[in-house]
Amino acid sequence: MSDAAQPTAAEVRAAAEAVKTALDRHLAAVERRSGDDDPAVSEAFNQLAAAAEVYDELLYDRHDEVTPFEIPGAEDALPPYAGPDEPNAISVLIRRDYTVAEPQRLLAQAQRIEAAEYDDGVDDDEAARSVPGALGILFGEFEPDEIASRHKEFGLEEGDSTLWVTAAEEPPEAGEWLEAPFEHFDPQQVVCRFDVSAVFDDEAPDIEDDDIDFVEEDHEDAEDHDGDGDELEPLDAEK
């Protein structure tokens, strides 16, 4: 990080003070808690986690040091569910991260897809000759689930992924959230979530029957089905 972008010593000190304040608020909320799912405790917990994360980042940027605290993951920071008991509508929020591990393979696949649109097999579209254009062609041609199961075939490498199911009393109006699909999100409406991440590979998750935080089987299934589709021929490594 450049010197111009580094936080000031005062900013780091202010972040440390914010952590102290959040600690006091969290302890006070715990001491006054009214039950296992007290929303005041959940809110204080979230504020403490956010303050600690900000302080940790500023401390590292300014002094190249870290704290001994483990910042809780998002799955631990969600407040208790407060949505309808019998929702009439649900929204499914999905994020999957990939690394473009083999750009030439990605470009070759996109060019094949484009060439298939022409009777003479000639593709004059320049979109398939750039990585952003190739990604647009790929995700326009295949469903996200198929790309997830065939990611290596397309020159992609899996990263973290998450799926959240949220509940609502009524479905939104058509087109209501399309301009900003992830802004109208209420964490208290989350019914369940399922995460896949490399950080789980070295951990033995403690999963209770009634409390499933993430499902690693999705990751294994994706590995088992790599290349199962027969729509595309094996690529020539020279391409």
Side-chain angles (χ1 to χ4, degrees):
M1 176 176 289
S2 67
D3 293 338
Q6 285 186 343
T8 65
E11 289 174 328
V12 179
R13 175 65 61 180
E17 293 299 325
V19 173
K20 297 175 186 178
T21 300
L23 276 169
D24 290 338
R25 289 176 178 171
H26 182 258
L27 178 58
V30 170
E31 291 173 338
R32 297 193 304 266
R33 72 188 310 160
S34 59
D36 292 340
D37 296 328
D38 190 329
V41 175
S42 296
E43 182 178 358
F45 176 90
N46 292 341
Q47 292 175 350
L48 175 57
E53 185 171 7
V54 170
Y55 173 62
D56 191 79
E57 291 177 355
L58 293 178
L59 184 69
Y60 181 81
D61 290 343
R62 176 71 184 184
H63 300 292
D64 199 25
E65 289 290 344
V66 296
T67 66
F69 312 122
E70 180 179 355
I71 304 302
E75 67 274 15
D76 298 322
L78 286 174
Y81 175 71
D85 292 334
E86 298 183 4
N88 294 317
I90 64 169
S91 294
V92 181
L93 310 180
I94 300 176
R95 172 171 174 170
R96 294 188 178 111
D97 285 359
Y98 297 95
T99 299
V100 181
E102 299 180 75
Q104 292 305 315
R105 179 178 289 272
L106 172 66
L107 293 171
Q109 295 286 32
Q111 289 164 15
R112 286 185 178 184
I113 295 170
E114 283 295 280
E117 299 295 326
Y118 296 83
D119 293 337
D120 57 5
V122 177
D123 175 19
D124 295 326
D125 194 337
E126 291 296 324
R129 306 187 187 281
S130 70
V131 170
L135 289 170
I137 292 170
L138 178 65
F139 282 88
E141 180 72 13
F142 299 104
E143 293 291 333
D145 288 342
E146 183 169 4
I147 293 175
S149 66
R150 301 173 61 186
H151 60 279
K152 290 184 178 178
E153 186 177 344
F154 301 128
L156 303 175
E157 182 177 313
E158 283 185 312
D160 289 356
S161 66
T162 187
L163 181 151
W164 299 36
V165 179
T166 66
E169 293 284 0
E170 300 294 338
E173 295 292 335
E176 179 179 339
W177 49 259
L178 291 179
E179 292 299 322
F182 302 112
E183 287 188 358
H184 305 285
F185 164 68
D186 182 354
Q188 289 190 305
Q189 302 293 319
V190 175
V191 177
C192 58
R193 61 175 291 173
F194 303 92
D195 299 328
V196 176
S197 174
V199 301
F200 302 140
D201 292 347
D202 297 328
E203 299 177 359
D206 297 327
I207 303 179
E208 300 179 1
D209 291 342
D210 297 327
D211 185 17
I212 299 178
D213 291 329
F214 59 86
V215 179
E216 291 192 61
E217 287 76 8
D218 291 346
H219 176 76
E220 296 171 359
D221 290 344
E223 293 290 342
D224 292 340
H225 288 83
D226 283 340
D228 284 350
D230 55 2
E231 295 183 25
L232 298 176
E233 299 176 359
L235 292 174
D236 186 347
E238 298 296 328
K239 293 183 179 180

